[in-house]
Amino acid sequence: MISLAGRDILHGWGKFVFTGVGLGLLIGVTLTMAGVYRGMVDDGKALLDNSGADLWVVQRDTLGPYAEASSIADDRYRDLLALPGVRAAANVTYLTMQLKRGAREVRAMVVGIAPQGPGTPGWPAHLVAGRHITRSHYEAVADIATGFQLGDRIRIRRQHYTVVGQTRRMVSSSGDPMVFIPLRDAQQAQFLKDNDAIAQQRRRTSENPAFNRPGVPGLLEAAIDAQSSNPSVNAVLVRLDPGARPDEAREAVRRWEHLTAYTRHEMEEILVGKLIATSARQIGMFLAILAVVSAAIVAFIIYTLTLGKIREIAVLKLIGARDRSIAWMILQQALGLGLIGFTVGKVAATFWAPAFPKYVLLVPEDSLRGALAVALICALASLVAIRAALRVDPAEAIGG
Amino acid sequence: MTDSGIIIEGLRKRYGEGDTAVDALRGVNMHVSPGEVIGLIGPSGSGKSTLLKCLGAVTDPTAGRMTLGGEVIYDEGWRIRDLRALRRDKIGFVFQSPYLIPFLDVTDNVALLPMLAGNANAAARGRARELLEALDVAHRDKAMPSQLSGGEQQRVAIARALANHPPVILADEPTAPLDSERALTVIRILNQMARQYHTAIIVVTHDEKIIPTFRRIYHIRDGVTHEEEGEGRELPGTP
Ligand SMILES: Nc1ncnc2c1ncn2[C@@H]1O[C@H](COP(=O)(O)OP(=O)(O)OP(=O)(O)O)[C@@H](O)[C@H]1O
Ligand SMILES: [Mg+2]
């Protein structure tokens, strides 16, 4: 038996390819939307992987440091070092800001890293160019996605930093590239008060008789010094000994005042389950609408093509073709349309994904799911046309 | 040979019920022997199409008896189960327009029927080739229907009607769109095929050009058939 559907498609291939390409672009958009979601999840995981931590210690009652603001004293890391099973603990600050690059601006996450040197939690693990930060001030390591080159000078608040190294795919949970600077500088930048506020505070402190005592020299200076230094960080990144149980360390931290801790697993829950949950639902909504629109298009096209063949279908029935052969012919055409559409969509998505400003991750799993969904949608969409075809009376071929 | 071909006895067909009922056929009696071509003529509304639909096994008669190729199809309200297979194996159709399948080439338009009947593609195409040769269109075997002339299309349609060796061919106004010469050619071919393949052929027609060629004619008026002698005029080019 010959394939009626195949012959029909070949006979009118222009029509098929044309609608297939249109459908394909729509499927390409759908696959890309899924890729955007995967990219967001992957950004979140990259952030966690790159921080090199097993445990995140943050301000109590917050989901810090990525999903919520968190601020803890910058000397608590010493207490953490004393906990059994803790191999390393390092302060870290995160501050997302607009950086100027020539006439352009880039949105970047400035990460303040503790001065213990490479390998410390929070430090970038791999550089693609240049070297790590060696001086305790005014050096920076920038992700290549920021566009900064080695030797460029970045202005962050009032200071300039020289780019000495470059990383790749070091991004925040929202996909902004990272710029690493020394912790002290970052604390200055993050908790910096402007000149006016400092002057005001100095004035108030020196006018306060409690601090400005004639009999106690140096008290005023000490007080002012304490006020203008910035003893806060956003989190302490903790790395455990191999074999140490993260939940035991977490429970130990949670018994302390002012602090709480999250394991890697919990952090992933926070990032994927909470931080990008709304975006995920947003994308899910898009996917649902795109699926419905695709189905409507396939249904409409196949239905129109079938109506154009009513006479042939009547003749086929008259000369003894089975109902199921005719249904199968229409179903095959719908699936053929889906196949063209999916192929075009997959190629289109692969082609345009790198052009997106944020990471679009096309995973084979999603392609497979997409293919199954397209097949299902096409099958469902062909039902209307099949129904119309099965209702055709073979007597119509004989006419009146 | 009255046990094969077409035998119809007291066939009736009523459309609708009660006050609006229409008795389209009110007692049709016919017999067509294998190898015979008869004409079926009648004024508009006389019941020609209705009779053709009953013969073509797409409309059930209300009463009467019908035998095709030696097999009883309808008998006073009873009918055989698989009308689809009956149409496929026992009846060939030729219409006013050829109604070829536009997306199949000439060979496969003819070969489709043997394929639907379960024959292998190669055997079906061999059969198609043989018929296309007999009908003198074998040189267009790879053409699509839209690339054929009206006469060629009609010959391919006749080949398709013959493809499963049916004992019966129903031709509905097969010459209406053709000029006089081509119309007579089609009738000549039908006669030739009827003899060659022992097929009983009924030609429904209004066409004055071809009516004189039938040896026997059934005239239908108000749903009742009357058998008449035809002129049986010689066809040009008949060997
Ligand atoms: N489906 C139907 N329902 C009700 N009445 C019908 C139906 N089909 C045909 N008729 C009636 O049956 C009668 C015979 O119709 P039929 O179509 O068989 O005539 P015909 O001989 O083919 O006419 P024409 O030469 O105009 O095609 C007519 O009165 C017609 O109105
Ligand atoms: Mg009619």
Side-chain angles (χ1 to χ4, degrees):
Chain A
M1 187 64 202
I2 46 176
S3 159
L4 292 175
R7 296 302 186 85
D8 192 17
I9 290 174
L10 286 180
H11 185 246
W13 65 270
K15 214 167 21 187
F16 253 86
V17 169
F18 211 65
T19 40
V21 167
L23 180 67
L25 294 178
L26 205 64
I27 293 171
V29 171
T30 312
L31 291 175
T32 310
M33 297 301 297
V36 167
Y37 171 73
R38 296 288 177 195
M40 283 164 53
V41 171
D42 202 69
D43 280 347
K45 287 187 178 158
L47 171 68
L48 300 183
D49 288 342
N50 293 337
S51 65
D54 299 315
L55 204 64
W56 281 255
V57 178
V58 298
Q59 182 180 345
R60 168 151 293 184
D61 300 327
T62 73
L63 295 172
Y66 311 117
E68 287 182 1
S70 150
S71 166
I72 59 178
D74 68 356
D75 53 4
R76 297 300 297 269
Y77 80 95
R78 294 205 192 91
D79 306 338
L80 288 161
L81 278 172
L83 274 181
V86 171
R87 171 194 281 204
N91 285 326
V92 70
T93 67
Y94 296 103
L95 176 61
T96 300
M97 58 193 300
Q98 299 290 121
L99 298 181
K100 282 219 163 48
R101 183 166 65 83
R104 291 246 198 98
E105 277 191 5
V106 286
R107 188 166 181 77
M109 183 151 99
V110 174
V111 184
I113 47 178
Q116 286 93 326
T120 309
W123 279 60
H126 306 288
L127 298 185
V128 292
R131 58 169 175 81
H132 282 287
I133 293 170
T134 49
R135 292 167 50 196
S136 51
H137 286 296
Y138 311 134
E139 283 188 344
V141 167
D143 192 85
I144 50 171
T146 59
F148 290 114
Q149 305 295 323
L150 291 181
D152 280 358
R153 286 172 63 73
I154 309 177
R155 190 189 154 103
I156 297 171
R157 297 276 196 255
R158 277 184 233 142
Q159 308 300 337
H160 284 89
Y161 297 79
T162 306
V163 176
V164 298
Q166 283 182 316
T167 60
R168 189 195 298 280
R169 258 200 78 57
M170 297 293 269
V171 288
S172 76
S173 57
S174 44
D176 301 320
M178 287 179 169
V179 172
F180 298 88
I181 62 173
L183 184 74
R184 284 260 163 249
D185 293 346
Q187 284 177 297
Q188 282 281 334
Q190 187 168 356
F191 304 100
L192 188 75
K193 293 167 181 155
D194 63 41
N195 288 337
D196 225 31
I198 294 170
Q200 288 282 340
Q201 193 171 44
R202 260 174 214 274
R203 187 179 51 74
R204 271 204 308 274
T205 311
S206 51
E207 281 169 8
N208 187 337
F211 293 123
N212 202 353
R213 286 196 189 156
V216 193
L219 174 63
L220 179 62
E221 270 62 50
I224 287 173
D225 205 41
Q227 281 171 348
S228 34
S229 72
N230 305 290
S232 290
V233 291
N234 297 122
V236 177
L237 303 176
V238 175
R239 190 176 301 144
L240 301 174
D241 286 326
R245 304 245 333 253
D247 28 340
E248 278 174 12
R250 177 195 62 192
E251 289 315 312
V253 173
R254 284 187 178 173
R255 282 193 288 272
W256 294 353
E257 262 188 302
H258 310 308
L259 297 183
T260 190
Y262 299 107
T263 61
R264 160 76 205 223
H265 180 71
E266 290 168 327
M267 218 52 201
E268 216 170 291
E269 286 279 288
I270 291 172
L271 283 183
V272 178
K274 296 192 169 73
L275 196 57
I276 63 175
T278 314
S279 309
R281 279 203 299 276
Q282 183 102 337
I283 288 171
M285 194 69 202
F286 259 114
L287 291 180
I289 291 172
L290 285 168
V292 171
V293 171
S294 310
I297 290 178
V298 177
F300 178 75
I301 298 294
I302 293 296
Y303 186 66
T304 312
L305 290 177
T306 304
L307 287 192
K309 283 198 295 274
I310 288 296
R311 175 67 69 181
E312 285 78 31
I313 289 171
V315 171
L316 284 171
K317 285 189 169 188
L318 184 70
I319 64 177
R322 288 169 202 275
D323 276 359
R324 73 172 125 90
S325 310
I326 289 163
W328 176 226
M329 172 174 98
I330 295 169
L331 178 62
Q332 272 179 301
Q333 291 186 336
L335 293 177
L337 199 59
L339 182 70
I340 299 174
F342 181 77
T343 311
V344 170
K346 178 81 181 114
V347 170
T350 313
F351 180 73
W352 66 43
F356 277 74
K358 281 189 188 175
Y359 190 46
V360 176
L361 178 60
L362 301 171
V363 296
E365 257 173 80
D366 286 348
S367 298
L368 191 69
R369 269 194 216 126
L372 291 178
V374 168
L376 191 71
I377 284 173
C378 287
L380 288 177
S382 66
L383 288 182
V384 191
I386 289 175
R387 212 172 94 99
L390 294 189
R391 282 184 165 186
V392 174
D393 185 350
E396 278 176 45
I398 292 179
Chain B
M1 276 244 232
T2 43
D3 60 333
S4 53
I6 304 165
I7 304 165
I8 295 176
E9 291 160 346
L11 203 72
R12 294 170 168 275
K13 173 65 185 177
R14 169 175 285 187
Y15 289 112
E17 279 170 27
D19 293 347
T20 56
V22 178
D23 285 307
L25 299 179
R26 298 188 297 150
V28 171
N29 297 294
M30 274 178 116
H31 67 93
V32 188
S33 308
E36 191 184 19
V37 181
I38 61 108
L40 178 64
I41 60 176
S44 182
S46 57
K48 299 185 296 292
S49 295
T50 304
L51 178 54
L52 214 53
K53 284 175 189 171
C54 292
L55 278 163
V58 288
T59 297
D60 291 345
T62 317
R65 205 178 129 88
M66 185 169 119
T67 309
L68 292 186
E71 186 171 0
V72 178
I73 310 306
Y74 299 108
D75 191 0
E76 305 301 340
W78 174 92
R79 66 158 219 221
I80 61 153
R81 285 237 317 280
D82 194 351
L83 292 178
R84 188 185 59 75
L86 173 80
R87 293 198 298 268
R88 184 190 66 200
D89 300 334
K90 299 238 158 150
I91 308 171
F93 295 92
V94 181
F95 313 101
Q96 178 173 343
S97 305
Y99 295 148
L100 300 175
I101 306 297
F103 48 83
L104 297 179
D105 66 19
V106 164
T107 305
D108 284 347
N109 254 287
V110 179
L112 181 62
L113 273 99
M115 287 179 190
L116 286 174
N119 292 287
N121 289 4
R125 292 204 175 105
R127 168 82 182 144
R129 171 113 211 132
E130 182 190 311
L131 285 165
L132 291 171
E133 261 158 24
L135 287 157
D136 210 16
V137 276
H139 59 291
R140 305 303 317 266
D141 60 346
K142 291 285 169 281
M144 299 308 278
S146 60
Q147 299 166 328
L148 300 181
S149 74
E152 286 171 334
Q153 290 187 20
Q154 200 57 294
R155 275 182 279 163
V156 176
I158 293 170
R160 176 175 69 184
L162 288 161
N164 277 342
H165 302 284
V168 172
I169 286 184
L170 305 175
D172 186 11
E173 304 272 6
T175 61
L178 303 177
D179 62 32
S180 180
E181 199 185 326
R182 291 214 173 82
L184 290 173
T185 307
V186 165
I187 294 304
R188 195 193 76 227
I189 291 168
L190 287 176
N191 275 285
Q192 208 177 307
M193 295 298 132
R195 278 197 303 277
Q196 193 169 338
Y197 297 107
H198 301 287
T199 312
I201 300 183
I202 296 179
V203 179
V204 175
T205 190
H206 281 112
D207 193 342
E208 296 298 338
K209 304 186 291 284
I210 64 166
I211 289 173
T213 67
F214 299 112
R215 286 207 184 83
R216 246 171 7 108
I217 291 173
Y218 283 92
H219 211 118
I220 180 165
R221 273 183 229 99
D222 292 330
V224 181
T225 44
H226 308 271
E227 190 182 341
E228 294 170 9
E229 279 283 304
E231 288 181 43
R233 201 179 284 173
E234 276 299 305
L235 287 158
T238 309

